[in-house]
Amino acid sequence: MIVDERVSCYIKSLTAYNSDFLEKLREKALEAKVPIIKRETESFLKTFLLLKKPKRILEVGAAVAYSSLVMAETLEGNVKISTIENYEKRVLEAKKNIADSNYSNTIHLIEEDASKVLKELVEKEEKYDFIFMDAAKGQYINWLEPVIKLLNKEGVLCSDNVLQGGDIVQSRYLIERRDRSIHSRLREYLYELTHREELSTTILSLGDGVALTVLKK
């Protein structure tokens, strides 16, 4: 969390844990340095989903399917989740984790490049109540147009990892050269989310930064 570390630790200490299955999966993922959602972001996501109660969810960036399984467990399987992953090693792990869970009929893993999948979903006129963006940050701006088209009216887009650990506020010249492209693209993405008339967005300093966007009526 991009706040005082003592506050962050205190909030984490109050967070309710998941099922034993998910806690073991989380521990394994962290040990393997798999990028999964931070605990405080997860807590926010679960509470929001219980308020929204979406029937159809699209996730861009499955990794090992941890967050998909968190969403499925939170909604007790009363949802259809499609999650996209293109990294072969992660796809194999995600498949196994979904198969070993109680939600193999709830979660559909799409093994393909996200740009291609999003385009195909738009062409099919698919619609989702909730879209969770948690993949390559530098691609968020490229995926924004199709993602908006895939949202139901008053649907919600949740974009994770949008503040670069707080570096997003820095001048691009103070950012390491290798990270400048992502820095510029994320700034453009956040500007679009907060300035487009059809969208209403709030940015939260949870985890590595979360943008919550609603498509207006």
Side-chain angles (χ1 to χ4, degrees):
M1 182 180 286
I2 309 168
V3 295
D4 186 285
E5 188 62 28
R6 294 175 302 167
V7 176
S8 177
C9 289
Y10 176 66
I11 291 173
K12 288 177 183 178
S13 74
L14 298 174
T15 302
Y17 283 16
N18 302 299
S19 65
D20 289 343
F21 174 81
L22 275 178
E23 287 304 315
K24 289 176 182 176
L25 177 55
R26 181 179 185 83
E27 184 178 344
K28 180 181 177 182
L30 292 174
E31 286 177 357
K33 300 188 184 306
V34 176
I36 61 173
I37 53 177
K38 295 185 182 298
R39 183 73 82 176
E40 54 269 38
T41 305
E42 179 184 311
S43 179
F44 166 78
L45 181 61
K46 290 191 289 187
T47 301
F48 182 82
L49 289 176
L50 288 172
L51 285 169
K52 181 68 176 174
K53 292 183 173 61
K55 294 301 181 184
R56 299 193 73 205
I57 292 177
L58 175 66
E59 178 183 46
V60 184
V64 294
Y66 176 77
S67 49
S68 287
L69 288 163
V70 167
M71 291 189 283
E73 185 174 278
T74 299
L75 295 169
E76 299 180 334
N78 298 315
V79 62
K80 289 297 180 183
I81 300 173
S82 296
T83 183
I84 307 168
E85 183 57 54
N86 193 37
Y87 181 25
E88 186 176 355
K89 180 181 178 181
R90 297 283 185 255
V91 165
L92 293 174
E93 294 178 73
K95 278 184 174 179
K96 183 180 185 305
N97 292 332
I98 293 169
D100 290 344
S101 75
N102 295 323
Y103 303 104
S104 57
N105 293 325
T106 300
I107 302 171
H108 171 52
L109 179 64
I110 304 173
E111 306 168 43
E112 188 55 87
D113 176 73
S115 296
K116 180 180 178 182
V117 174
L118 293 173
K119 180 181 178 182
E120 290 174 350
L121 292 174
V122 169
E123 289 173 351
K124 292 177 182 177
E125 299 185 347
E126 298 285 354
K127 292 292 182 180
Y128 298 90
D129 306 308
F130 184 79
I131 298 178
F132 186 50
M133 190 92 82
D134 190 19
K137 297 188 287 289
Q139 294 298 317
Y140 282 14
I141 186 63
N142 297 326
W143 295 332
L144 181 58
E145 289 299 333
V147 161
I148 290 174
K149 292 176 182 176
L150 291 170
L151 279 174
N152 277 319
K153 293 299 181 184
E154 298 189 326
V156 176
L157 166 64
C158 183
S159 309
D160 199 12
N161 307 123
V162 295
L163 295 180
Q164 288 189 300
D167 286 346
I168 197 74
V169 302
Q170 301 287 355
S171 163
R172 72 185 304 269
Y173 299 106
L174 296 177
I175 302 296
E176 289 189 34
R177 188 177 296 274
R178 66 170 187 240
D179 295 327
R180 286 180 183 174
S181 178
I182 293 176
H183 180 268
S184 297
R185 290 180 180 184
L186 269 179
R187 280 198 163 199
E188 182 183 357
Y189 180 69
L190 292 175
Y191 182 88
E192 288 295 316
L193 289 182
T194 53
H195 286 76
R196 292 180 66 140
E197 290 185 0
E198 75 270 32
L199 304 177
S200 178
T201 298
T202 186
I203 300 170
L204 308 170
S205 58
L206 287 165
D208 195 24
V210 174
L212 196 67
T213 303
V214 177
L215 180 63
K216 299 177 184 177
K217 286 185 178 180

